[in-house]
Amino acid sequence: MVGVDFVSPTNSQIISCRKNGIVQVWSAETAAQLSSLQLGSEVSTIACCQSSRSAFIGLSSGQLVVLDLNTPESPRIIFEDRIHHGSILHIAFDMSGKLLFTGSDDGHVIILDTRASNKFKCLGHIDVKGQVTGIASLHQLKIEKEWCYLAISSVCDNSSVISHAKLPVDLHLQPKEAFDDDTFHMDPKFISRADCQLDFLASSVAMVNPNIMVTVDVTKKNVVILNLNSGKLTVTDRANGHLLKGGSVVISPHGKWIGSYSGDGQIIFRSIEDARIVSLFLVILTSLEEHLS
């Protein structure tokens, strides 16, 4: 299994995806399987858009597949195109649901319009060195409605960088000055880009607010809280993480907890204020079908 997500906006269905290309839609209330679709290609990641009943699936071939889930009993492919040279490893959305970010091992983060009416048009891209290990977006709708913040973690030559940027949500309306070449590469000055070198190998990234980020120290197996000031990241707190190296971090919807998960089967929730563990789950899953039957 490479991914599971709730189908927005009602969250009454769950979509799961296997590496072998089998996509299944389930009822969140009854656990009944509603439909199954074989993509015929190896899948690497999946995520659902908050603004539409659609699932975005990244393939190992670099193709992006979009499924229309308005009729969960018969999902249909409405878009398919190769947008990366390498596997699509990460998919993220801004909270307004207007922008889609995809990351790969080809050194690119591509920004797309999430609307089918705009044919999921590529709006721009950001280059990074090496493989993207995480993408996080933050949109403070009540404070900065027209802007969202983006954090990208990447690794190259056993060294990690977190790139931070500020993007206009209506990227399709921006002038040519927003880009520095004909390929729609985002101009670093226009997006206030800061590339911050870390002194440890990091996997994943999450954003608490525009200046506070969370990542995972792969070697020490720590959850690390970082503060951005004048284009530089400093470590403000560390907490013991998981039993195995690596893992990922997320921020809870209410913005009070840091969630982390790893190959050790644990899901840990911590308080953002003091990194204190508030809840811990041990997950042992063999297959989603067994637990939904």
Side-chain angles (χ1 to χ4, degrees):
M1 194 74 65
V2 297
V4 178
D5 204 353
F6 283 95
V7 180
S8 298
T10 62
N11 294 333
S12 57
Q13 289 94 36
I14 298 169
I15 186 169
S16 64
C17 201
R18 292 178 175 272
K19 187 176 181 180
N20 63 6
I22 296 177
V23 180
Q24 294 163 298
V25 183
W26 312 82
S27 168
E29 296 179 358
T30 66
Q33 180 178 311
L34 303 177
S35 59
S36 179
L37 179 68
Q38 173 58 262
L39 297 179
S41 300
E42 185 175 288
V43 174
S44 47
T45 188
I46 183 174
C48 290
C49 182
Q50 303 96 317
S51 62
S52 65
R53 291 182 59 80
S54 55
F56 291 72
I57 301 172
L59 305 185
S60 298
S61 62
Q63 287 183 298
L64 178 69
V65 176
V66 183
L67 296 183
D68 180 347
L69 298 172
N70 280 296
T71 307
E73 292 79 12
S74 56
R76 61 189 183 95
I77 297 174
I78 57 174
F79 177 83
E80 186 173 4
D81 194 16
R82 188 183 184 195
I83 61 172
H84 283 278
H85 294 295
S87 300
I88 299 179
L89 303 174
H90 300 278
I91 295 176
F93 303 89
D94 85 291
M95 292 184 69
S96 71
K98 292 183 177 180
L99 300 178
L100 164 70
F101 307 97
T102 63
S104 176
D105 54 6
D106 61 3
H108 300 287
V109 170
I110 295 178
I111 310 166
L112 300 100
D113 194 318
T114 60
R115 293 171 292 183
S117 59
N118 281 357
K119 300 180 180 180
F120 308 103
K121 180 182 178 181
C122 178
L123 302 175
H125 68 98
I126 298 172
D127 288 351
V128 298
K129 291 183 178 180
Q131 177 177 314
V132 175
T133 58
I135 303 174
S137 176
L138 178 72
H139 191 178
Q140 302 178 113
L141 294 170
K142 295 182 180 180
I143 301 175
E144 294 180 289
K145 186 177 180 180
E146 299 178 352
W147 297 87
C148 73
Y149 293 87
L150 183 68
I152 305 164
S153 60
S154 59
V155 60
C156 182
D157 297 329
N158 220 29
S159 178
S160 290
V161 172
I162 290 182
S163 301
H164 182 275
K166 183 178 181 180
L167 302 170
V169 175
D170 292 320
L171 195 55
H172 64 290
L173 300 177
Q174 300 309 306
K176 292 183 179 180
E177 289 74 21
F179 312 97
D180 58 12
D181 62 24
D182 294 335
T183 69
F184 295 98
H185 180 261
M186 300 300 304
D187 182 271
K189 292 182 180 179
F190 182 82
I191 61 175
S192 303
R193 176 173 175 173
D195 295 316
C196 307
Q197 186 82 38
L198 302 178
D199 60 4
F200 58 88
L201 193 62
S203 67
S204 185
V205 66
M207 300 187 77
V208 178
N209 62 43
N211 297 315
I212 297 179
M213 281 155 276
V214 184
T215 188
V216 175
D217 185 328
V218 174
T219 304
K220 294 184 178 180
K221 296 179 283 189
N222 289 163
V223 173
V224 184
I225 300 177
L226 304 162
N227 182 65
L228 179 68
N229 187 12
S230 301
K232 295 183 179 180
L233 280 175
T234 56
V235 175
T236 59
D237 201 357
R238 282 179 174 268
N240 291 330
H242 292 264
L243 301 176
L244 300 179
K245 293 182 178 180
S248 299
V249 287
V250 295
I251 303 300
S252 64
H254 57 35
K256 297 179 180 180
W257 295 350
I258 300 167
S260 64
Y261 56 96
S262 178
D264 62 1
Q266 291 185 342
I267 301 174
I268 302 174
F269 290 98
R270 305 174 184 275
S271 166
I272 287 177
E273 293 183 355
D274 56 12
R276 174 180 54 87
I277 293 178
V278 295
S279 188
L280 186 150
F281 299 89
L282 179 62
V283 182
I284 303 175
L285 295 179
T286 54
S287 69
L288 184 63
E289 288 91 333
E290 291 182 14
H291 291 265
L292 293 179
S293 61

